[in-house]
């Protein structure tokens, strides 16, 4: 009996691990969490070839960028911001058979040393900060999840040099507008009285490669607010609201004969403005009834 009992115990020792493995088999949500972690690691390592493996070959963002466009944009980003870092937080994961919708929040940071800008001393480095909330759509094929599309809901980025890092600035823009609709942009800056701020605010369509826009700089009033009304494009393309800011100080020598203008800081602010595509679709459906 003891031998039989011993064989029974040994037999179950070999069976149970197989049974336990089934209990701890990865769920779709666990697989997707692992993919997001690996994707973020590849981003932080600036490994573009590895990043591309997470995407379907027919990937296309809602802005119209394909995998080749994304690769070129990443290459340019890594060249400009060599120490860029990404932090990703998963907000939610929803799965249905071989499809998944993941909502994420990203935080991006980098330091920039503007040696090419002579007016700003090298030690006055620039700081890049960005946040975005977006939906990622995935499809499972041959036991692997692939990213087939992403849709950015909210996005804002700032790049500040010098004393701009110590100032509160806010570019105010709507999150969503209708096609060809006018909308307001405003820039608020809390600055010392002895600092002169020149700025331009504009909007640009999200395209690759990006288009060149002529900037018109204006002196920001003493109250620290600049406003402009712009018109959205009529091509149903999402846009960026953009502000460029220069911070200067004028000093005069003791003899009051010579003035010196010193550039103390620069800033670039950007906020995403999405087109209200659902409203536009409803209008089209009503017109074609």
């Amino acid at each position: 009996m003891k031998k039989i009992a011993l064989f029974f115990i040994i037999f179950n020792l070999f069976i149970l691990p197989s049974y336990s493995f089934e209990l701890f088999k990865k769920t779709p949500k666990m697989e997707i969490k692992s993919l997001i972690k690996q994707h973020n690691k590849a981003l932080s390592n600036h490994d573009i070839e590895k990043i591309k493996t997470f995407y379907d070959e027919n990937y296309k963002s809602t802005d119209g960028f394909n995998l080749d466009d994304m690769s070129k944009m990443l290459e340019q980003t890594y060249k400009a911001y060599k120490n860029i870092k990404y932090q990703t937080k998963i907000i939610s994961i929803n799965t249905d058979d071989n499809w998944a919708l993941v909502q994420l929040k990203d935080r991006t940071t980098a330091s920039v040393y503007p040696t090419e800008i002579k007016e700003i001393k090298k030690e006055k480095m620039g700081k890049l900060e960005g946040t975005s909330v977006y939906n990622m759509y995935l499809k499972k094929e041959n036991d692997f999840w692939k990213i087939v599309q992403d849709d950015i809901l909210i996005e804002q980025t700032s790049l500040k040099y010098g004393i701009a890092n110590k100032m509160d600035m806010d570019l105010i823009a709507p999150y969503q507008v209708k096609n060809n609709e006018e909308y307001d942009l405003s820039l608020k800056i809390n600055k010392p009285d002895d600092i002169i701020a020149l700025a331009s605010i504009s909007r640009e369509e999200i395209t690759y490669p990006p288009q060149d826009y002529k900037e018109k700089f204006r002196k920001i009033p003493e109250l620290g607010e600049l406003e402009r009304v712009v018109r959205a494009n009529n091509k149903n393309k999402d846009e960026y609201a953009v502000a460029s800011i220069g911070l200067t100080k004028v000093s005069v020598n003791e003899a009051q004969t010579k003035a010196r203008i010193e550039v103390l800081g620069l800033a670039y602010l950007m906020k995403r403005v999405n087109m209200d595509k659902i409203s536009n679709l409803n209008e089209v459906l009503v017109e074609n009834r």
Side-chain angles (χ1 to χ4, degrees), residues 14-273:
F14 282 98
I15 294 298
L16 283 173
S18 174
Y19 179 69
S20 300
F21 177 79
E22 289 299 322
L23 281 176
F24 293 101
K25 185 178 179 181
K26 279 189 175 181
T27 64
K29 287 188 177 182
M30 291 168 67
E31 291 173 345
I32 291 168
K33 284 182 179 179
S34 177
L35 180 144
I36 298 298
K37 186 177 180 179
Q38 294 175 56
H39 179 265
N40 196 57
K41 184 179 179 181
L43 280 172
S44 296
N45 291 337
H46 300 187
D47 191 344
I48 296 176
E49 290 306 312
K50 180 66 175 177
I51 293 167
K52 287 164 65 176
T53 65
F54 297 104
Y55 290 81
D56 184 85
E57 60 181 9
N58 295 316
Y59 160 83
K60 200 167 191 177
S61 73
T62 52
D63 290 322
F65 304 143
N66 58 31
L67 198 54
D68 186 52
D69 295 331
M70 186 195 69
S71 299
K72 290 176 182 175
M73 285 188 285
L74 281 173
E75 187 177 346
Q76 292 171 355
T77 298
Y78 293 147
K79 187 177 180 180
Y81 309 105
K82 300 185 187 304
N83 59 4
I84 193 167
K85 295 178 181 178
Y86 301 89
Q87 291 180 328
T88 303
K89 179 183 178 182
I90 298 174
I91 299 173
S92 64
I93 300 176
N94 293 288
T95 61
D96 184 12
D97 293 330
N98 292 328
W99 288 91
L101 167 61
V102 186
Q103 190 165 99
L104 304 135
K105 183 176 183 179
D106 274 358
R107 183 172 182 267
T108 309
T109 56
S111 298
V112 189
Y113 298 89
T115 53
E116 71 280 2
I117 303 177
K118 296 178 181 179
E119 292 88 351
I120 297 180
K121 295 179 181 179
K122 187 176 180 180
E123 62 267 19
K124 295 180 179 179
M125 69 175 187
K127 292 182 181 179
L128 175 77
E129 293 184 346
T131 57
S132 63
V133 176
Y134 58 100
N135 290 332
M136 182 183 284
Y137 304 90
L138 301 97
K139 185 179 181 181
K140 192 173 187 180
E141 289 184 348
N142 301 322
D143 293 328
F144 291 99
W145 290 99
K146 295 284 186 179
I147 302 166
V148 294
Q149 192 178 65
D150 48 39
D151 181 16
I152 302 175
L153 307 176
I154 301 171
E155 183 181 16
Q156 58 183 22
T157 305
S158 68
L159 176 58
K160 297 180 179 180
Y161 296 96
I163 64 169
N165 284 302
K166 299 177 182 179
M167 293 185 185
D168 292 328
M169 303 177 181
D170 190 15
L171 175 60
I172 301 168
Y175 288 107
Q176 187 171 264
V177 297
K178 292 183 179 180
N179 199 51
N180 204 36
E181 179 184 48
E182 283 190 346
Y183 62 95
D184 294 329
L185 298 177
S186 63
L187 174 65
K188 293 183 177 180
I189 300 179
N190 186 10
K191 64 177 184 64
D193 293 338
D194 61 340
I195 297 296
I196 298 172
L198 299 174
S200 75
I201 48 178
S202 59
R203 63 99 198 157
E204 58 183 57
E205 298 166 23
I206 301 176
T207 58
Y208 185 81
Q211 299 177 8
D212 291 328
Y213 285 83
K214 292 182 179 179
E215 296 181 300
K216 294 181 179 179
F217 284 86
R218 295 179 176 86
K219 182 180 176 182
I220 295 180
E222 291 304 315
L223 295 176
E225 185 169 349
L226 188 66
E227 292 182 284
R228 184 181 175 189
V229 177
V230 297
R231 182 176 292 278
N233 69 87
N234 59 3
K235 296 171 257 184
N236 220 29
K237 283 184 173 289
D238 296 330
E239 300 183 343
Y240 284 129
V242 182
S244 301
I245 304 124
L247 301 166
T248 64
K249 187 174 184 179
V250 180
S251 57
V252 184
N253 62 8
E254 292 183 4
Q256 301 287 314
T257 58
K258 194 173 182 180
R260 180 170 176 261
I261 300 174
E262 185 180 3
V263 179
L264 299 176
L266 296 171
Y268 305 95
L269 308 180
M270 184 180 74
K271 279 190 176 180
R272 187 182 182 92
V273 180

